[in-house]
Amino acid sequence: MEEADERKWKGKAKTEVRGHKAEKVWPLIADFCGLSKWFPTPTCIPVEGVSGQAGCVRFCAGFKTPVDQKDKQTVNWTKQKLLYIDPTNMTLRYTITESNVGFYSYVATWRVIDCGEGSEVEWEYEVEPAQGWTLQQLNSFASSGLQVMGLRMEADLTTVDQALRLSN
């Protein structure tokens, strides 16, 4: 068993959400089935349980990966199960239960952390090596997706703050 664990790929990506503290960013992450609002995944819908509660399952599809061929005809998809959510520590953990992108034994942890004048979203993951992928490609996919996510969250939270200031 230890030998199999040593063979797993491990990675971490981070992004800043400037100007917005963790308590404002956390509800966006905790909305487990709302991932498509932030991450470059066109489809993310609940398929089982209640979004944001341990045991719920989301279906994510339509995202591009670094290993996709230009003439690829199939849609990339994953089913992801929320294993654990801790609002106090602003942490959640999920696993991919099914997919057509080659991930097996995938487990990820997301955290939101205060830092300076803003916050940071951290995505740690562990997965068995995926056929057709390199760890560098997986790290690039996570990092670029998380950067887009951070910028979208920052923009939307800034819009809310500005609108509320103007209405007062």
Side-chain angles (χ1 to χ4, degrees), residues 14 45 68-69 74 77 86 103 124 133 137 144 153:
K14 294 181 181 183
I45 59 171
D68 287 344
Q69 302 296 321
T74 59
W77 63 270
D86 179 355
F103 294 149
E124 278 188 88
W133 288 72
Q137 289 169 321
S144 63
M153 289 178 162

Side-chain angles (χ1 to χ4, degrees), residues 27-39 41 43-46 51-52 58 60 149 153:
L28 308 180
I29 298 293
D31 178 14
F32 189 67
C33 294
L35 183 67
S36 59
K37 296 173 191 170
W38 318 111
F39 198 79
T41 294
T43 301
C44 182
I45 59 171
S51 182
R58 66 186 178 194
C60 299
M149 189 171 168
M153 289 178 162

Side-chain angles (χ1 to χ4, degrees), residues 30-100:
D31 178 14
F32 189 67
C33 294
L35 183 67
S36 59
K37 296 173 191 170
W38 318 111
F39 198 79
T41 294
T43 301
C44 182
I45 59 171
V47 293
E48 189 177 311
V50 177
S51 182
Q53 291 185 8
C56 74
V57 177
R58 66 186 178 194
F59 178 85
C60 299
F63 52 89
K64 300 289 184 199
T65 73
V67 300
D68 287 344
Q69 302 296 321
K70 290 184 195 261
D71 60 347
K72 183 175 180 172
Q73 299 295 313
T74 59
V75 174
N76 293 327
W77 63 270
T78 61
K79 276 188 174 179
Q80 303 172 3
K81 182 175 187 175
L82 184 60
L83 300 173
Y84 172 84
I85 187 162
D86 179 355
T88 303
N89 293 307
M90 294 186 246
T91 302
L92 65 78
R93 178 171 291 161
Y94 69 93
T95 186
I96 293 178
T97 59
E98 296 176 56
S99 82
N100 71 343

